[in-house]
Amino acid sequence: MCSSDLGDLALATSLSGSAPARHGNRATDLAPQGVYPCAGEDRWLALSVTDDDCWRRFVATTDIAGLDDAAFASFEGRLAAHDDLDRLISGWTSARDARSAMVLLQEAGVPAGMAMANEDLVGDPHLADRDFFVTVEQADAGPLTFPGFPYHAAGWTPTVRATPPLGGHNDE
């Protein structure tokens, strides 16, 4: 939870006189929503179903048995059965590669993203298309890949330079 969300909780507490219900990592306005295990060691997929249309796309795309139950057709039904949905979704995600599941869901218009380790970030095609990483020739180590400049603007090309080798600027 970010600090900007705390105002609503403080207001709710002052109006009701009691602490608001705890929801853990779940959003109160999305269902299902969570981070689900995928195939492989420590591989995860975050996804959020934003509305009933998104739910229908999710069901059609994943073809998970049982999701077509009428009880899940509304947000209220999905929210009430969130634990059951999490089990069904985890069964589907745990048999799939995180990147493949992410791409499949994103292409269907379902917000999804894999939790990425460093090697995932460096090899990510989305980041590569945006020139997020740059390769710099280091005098003592050869070519190394680094995050590039975080901002890009039309008509301006940022440059990332190599560090000087040991003693390289002694004369200066």
Side-chain angles (χ1 to χ4, degrees), residues 30-97:
L30 302 169
Q33 178 265 328
V35 181
Y36 301 92
C38 291
E41 185 178 341
D42 202 23
R43 307 303 287 175
W44 300 89
L45 178 76
L47 71 90
S48 297
V49 173
T50 55
D51 55 31
D52 291 342
D53 287 335
C54 184
W55 172 250
R56 286 187 283 277
R57 290 191 305 275
F58 178 74
V59 171
T61 302
T62 60
D63 202 27
I64 299 171
L67 291 188
D68 55 356
D69 188 310
F72 303 144
S74 70
F75 165 73
E76 292 78 13
R78 293 189 300 275
L79 190 60
H82 209 298
D83 289 338
D84 295 331
L85 288 172
D86 282 348
R87 280 189 285 283
L88 291 170
I89 294 167
S90 291
W92 182 81
T93 58
S94 63
R96 283 166 178 72
D97 169 74

Side-chain angles (χ1 to χ4, degrees), residues 122 132-138 142-148:
V122 172
F132 183 84
F133 290 101
V134 295
T135 300
V136 177
E137 184 70 35
Q138 289 289 124
L144 297 174
T145 301
F146 297 97

Side-chain angles (χ1 to χ4, degrees), residues 13 40 56 65 95-96 100 114 119 130 146 152 164 172:
T13 301
R56 286 187 283 277
R96 283 166 178 72
S100 301
M114 65 182 274
E119 60 268 16
R130 281 145 189 82
F146 297 97
H152 294 257
E172 289 83 1

Side-chain angles (χ1 to χ4, degrees), residues 6 9 30-31 46-47 68 77 80-81 86 95 101 104 106 108 115 142 150 155 166-167 169:
L6 296 179
L9 297 176
L30 302 169
L47 71 90
D68 55 356
D86 282 348
L104 178 73
Q106 286 180 353
L166 183 61
H169 284 164

